[in-house]
Amino acid sequence: PELDFFFLEGHLPAEVAPEALGTWRVALKPQQRRAWQYFTLCRDEGAEPANRWKAGHDAAEGFQHVWEEALRESRLAGGFYASVGFSQGANVAAALLAKQAASHETLGLRCSVNLCGGIWGFWSDGCSMVTGESAPSLPLRGVASLHILGLTDPYLAQSKSLVEGYAPENCERRVLEHSGGHTPFPLERPQREEIMDEVSKFLKKYAE
């Protein structure tokens, strides 16, 4: 089917992550190289590398900004049926789905594709980001999900935590693994084409 996409970026300027810098240099001109975070990050030098970055105190404010932007665009477009997120983007998608479930408003989302996604930043202990009647929380129920995990990803533990954030009862929850690291798709062509084909099939299935 023909699909409409809404690219959702954060509202706080940030440096490009080191693992993405090489790609940005190849693909973008210097004046185009910018990144936007959903919340500020504070570096904890004493933590393990995969847990070194902690969210700042503006996570709830950043999320509210993202929710309002997504809701506005959803109303204009007539709703979206799927979220596709890589790394922190998959975390944001989970937060939006949780907010949708907790509120009286909907983005239309009913399935999610998570590419090396993980649990970061938005979630406090107990997997609830903000307090109040419509506070988003995990696990998500009734949302079909496809999770692509790199077995050499330094954030594999966070990716597995995100998988557990989607309850498998009465809906599909698929996990596909590849031998790569923290990239949207495997770098090796055969694996990449196989994973991309599975993502395409999943999205087409829930587009109907």
Side-chain angles (χ1 to χ4, degrees):
E2 183 176 339
L3 303 177
D4 292 325
F5 294 90
F6 171 46
F7 176 70
L8 186 63
E9 64 180 6
H11 70 301
L12 299 172
E15 296 182 7
V16 178
E19 61 265 26
L21 190 56
T23 302
W24 284 53
R25 285 174 175 166
V26 172
L28 301 175
K29 298 177 181 179
Q31 64 270 24
Q32 297 174 316
R33 296 172 194 159
R34 62 174 187 166
W36 295 93
Q37 283 281 20
Y38 305 99
F39 47 84
T40 54
L41 293 173
C42 304
R43 189 177 179 87
D44 182 358
E45 297 292 351
E48 294 294 324
N51 298 310
R52 190 160 290 165
W53 292 98
K54 307 295 184 183
H57 296 294
D58 55 356
E61 178 185 349
F63 173 73
Q64 187 61 31
H65 171 88
V66 172
W67 169 255
E68 290 172 359
E69 284 292 298
L71 193 60
R72 178 185 62 81
E73 193 68 24
S74 176
R75 289 167 178 166
L76 291 174
F80 297 96
Y81 80 93
S83 66
V84 180
F86 164 62
S87 190
Q88 287 188 37
N91 181 50
V92 174
L96 289 172
L97 284 160
K99 178 70 173 179
Q100 176 180 261
S103 70
H104 300 295
E105 299 183 277
T106 180
L107 303 175
L109 297 171
R110 56 183 180 271
C111 67
S112 178
V113 175
N114 304 290
L115 310 171
C116 288
I119 293 292
W120 291 287
F122 283 146
W123 313 97
S124 61
D125 293 339
C127 287
S128 180
M129 183 196 331
V130 293
T131 58
E133 183 178 347
S134 60
S137 60
L138 297 177
L140 297 167
R141 304 187 186 281
V143 179
S145 60
L146 174 62
H147 304 265
I148 311 301
L149 275 57
L151 295 179
T152 58
D153 186 348
Y155 305 111
L156 182 58
Q158 285 90 337
S159 291
K160 291 182 176 180
S161 293
L162 184 62
V163 172
E164 295 303 314
Y166 287 78
E169 293 86 359
N170 303 317
C171 66
E172 181 179 14
R173 185 181 75 181
R174 291 187 64 199
V175 177
L176 298 178
E177 298 175 339
H178 60 80
S179 60
H182 195 66
T183 58
F185 295 101
L187 298 180
E188 296 183 2
R189 184 171 181 176
Q191 278 193 321
R192 182 171 68 251
E193 291 181 346
E194 180 182 351
I195 294 294
M196 291 178 71
D197 183 58
E198 291 296 328
V199 169
S200 179
K201 289 178 181 177
F202 180 86
L203 290 173
K204 289 178 179 178
K205 176 180 178 180
Y206 289 96
E208 300 174 354

